[in-house]
Amino acid sequence: MTTATAQAFPNIAFIKYWGNRSDRLRLPANGSISMNLAGLYTQTCVSFEPGLAADALVLNHVPSLGRSLHRVISFLNVVRRMAGKKDFARVTSENNFPTGAGIASSAAAYAALAVAASHALGLDLSECELSRLARLGSGSAARSVPGGFVEWQKGEADADSYAYSIATPEHWALVDLIAIVANEHKPVGSSEGHRLAGTSPLQAARVAGAEQRLEIGRNAILARDFAALAEVAELDSNLMHAVMMTSSPPLFYWQPASLALMKIVPQWRKGGLPVFYTLDAGPNVHLICEASSAEILKSHLDEIPGVISTIQAGPGGPAHLVPDCTLI
Ligand code: DP6
């Protein structure tokens, strides 16, 4: 039996990934930039066992079948092929944050699975190889492999579509205050959404401007220029949601409280509070602020009707092995 356990953090994108050039290889339409989220994590234990008749998956203590299991099996097949091994695996995975409501749990899940499964099969992969591998499980997982502030270059092909750190977690004390406005599972997941992106007449324009937004976002992070990052990240989030809403069929992820926050956050910023919003494929609103403003922002959020709770996270490190199979 060969076993390994890994932890990985989810991430929040400031410049978004939406739409693929190849759905099978998850080669994105454009590059993206994100920050890993410390304190929230997925921990995954993988053991390849000669006696097993099939792969088995337990997610948050519940045996998993259907689509989630098949996605994991396809991913394990890739790792087995790379290692030249045939044994089936038992995969046990837990999140310490709510699944499926705007915090990209698949990012942390496939980053942790890539690290644990490859290590268990004796592969000694570099960070870049791990990021490419994680990408095959979930695009945004490529960005949860390196630490801190991360850019995923779209690349020309499989070999050069991977993510790397552009700054360490210590570089900038930003905080993601996630306003939870709905707890239920989103009706249309990201994988389905990526397939619909090309049906929007706005996707081509969004992709055409992505290089410029990436450069502005990257420079803003490197210079710790909050105002510049705020402007480009809100624009990029709005562009992605415009594509979602004009796809066929259209995807509407917002709740009334999501829109209320999108309207009030720029006003708070004008009033001197350094904060901006960004939303993924879900209704919850990620409010990014400097750590020194987190407390006051939290008290503002407590006043907004429809905000059920908040989750707070600073910049997180890379996906990493942990000593044993003890779960959370
Ligand atoms: C809206 O990585 O979840 O969060 O590759 O199908 O797993 P799959 O999609 P996923 O897409 C993330 C989309 C997003 C934006 C982003 O994180 O860049």
Side-chain angles (χ1 to χ4, degrees):
M1 180 169 98
T2 49
T3 295
T5 303
Q7 264 187 16
F9 303 109
N11 63 72
I12 179 65
F14 300 148
I15 306 294
K16 307 288 189 186
Y17 152 51
W18 196 246
N20 287 315
R21 285 170 293 149
S22 158
D23 283 321
R24 187 178 61 86
L25 290 174
R26 289 188 160 82
L27 294 177
N30 59 276
S32 50
I33 290 180
S34 57
M35 177 180 99
N36 283 358
L37 300 176
L40 314 177
Y41 60 86
T42 297
Q43 183 159 307
T44 300
C45 171
V46 183
S47 38
F48 290 91
E49 301 173 21
L52 282 180
D55 292 318
L57 172 65
V58 176
L59 268 182
N60 295 316
H61 307 284
V62 181
S64 187
L65 299 165
R67 250 201 288 180
S68 320
L69 175 62
H70 282 109
R71 192 164 166 180
V72 165
I73 291 173
S74 308
F75 186 81
L76 292 172
N77 286 341
V78 174
V79 190
R80 275 187 283 257
R81 254 197 316 277
M82 287 170 79
K85 302 268 171 63
K86 290 212 150 51
D87 287 344
F88 291 113
R90 205 184 292 280
V91 177
T92 316
S93 191
E94 285 179 43
N95 296 330
N96 74 341
F97 58 90
T99 311
I103 306 171
S105 54
S106 65
Y110 280 93
L113 187 58
V115 171
S118 61
H119 189 79
L121 286 184
L123 291 164
D124 185 18
L125 302 184
S126 65
E127 182 182 272
C128 145
E129 289 167 323
L130 283 167
S131 173
R132 279 173 54 201
L133 175 60
R135 189 198 80 228
L136 298 174
S138 171
S140 55
R143 297 190 312 243
S144 278
V145 170
F149 298 84
V150 173
E151 178 161 356
W152 171 15
Q153 62 180 22
K154 71 176 183 151
E156 295 297 322
D158 172 59
D160 62 347
S161 188
Y162 56 84
Y164 46 83
S165 292
I166 55 174
T168 62
E170 296 74 32
H171 170 72
W172 198 2
L174 291 186
V175 162
D176 181 4
L177 206 52
I178 308 166
I180 305 292
V181 302
N183 279 317
E184 69 268 19
H185 225 281
K186 57 193 174 196
V188 179
S190 308
S191 302
E192 179 59 15
H194 290 297
R195 280 191 284 274
L196 298 179
T199 66
S200 162
L202 304 184
Q203 171 72 345
R206 190 192 73 84
V207 170
E211 279 306 322
Q212 196 190 8
R213 292 192 302 281
L214 283 166
E215 191 177 334
I216 295 170
R218 186 188 312 121
N219 289 337
I221 289 170
L222 294 177
R224 296 188 204 92
D225 182 341
F226 192 89
L229 185 61
E231 195 182 325
V232 76
E234 286 187 354
L235 170 64
D236 195 85
S237 173
N238 294 347
L239 283 167
M240 181 182 72
H241 282 270
V243 167
M244 291 163 161
M245 287 189 264
T246 49
S247 297
S248 139
L251 302 174
F252 297 101
Y253 284 111
W254 303 342
Q255 290 291 325
S258 321
L259 185 58
L261 285 167
M262 293 166 71
K263 289 170 90 168
I264 205 165
V265 162
Q267 288 176 25
W268 289 342
R269 190 161 69 247
K270 272 199 203 97
L273 186 64
V275 55
F276 65 86
Y277 67 78
T278 183
L279 288 86
D280 280 343
N284 298 330
V285 184
H286 294 252
L287 298 169
I288 313 297
C289 67
E290 306 213 64
S292 49
S293 307
E295 207 170 314
I296 171 109
L297 180 60
K298 167 98 179 48
S299 65
H300 280 22
L301 277 178
D302 290 342
E303 305 290 310
I304 304 287
V307 175
I308 301 164
S309 59
T310 53
I311 298 176
Q312 185 169 332
H320 56 279
L321 289 165
V322 291
D324 58 35
C325 258
T326 330
L327 283 171
I328 302 164

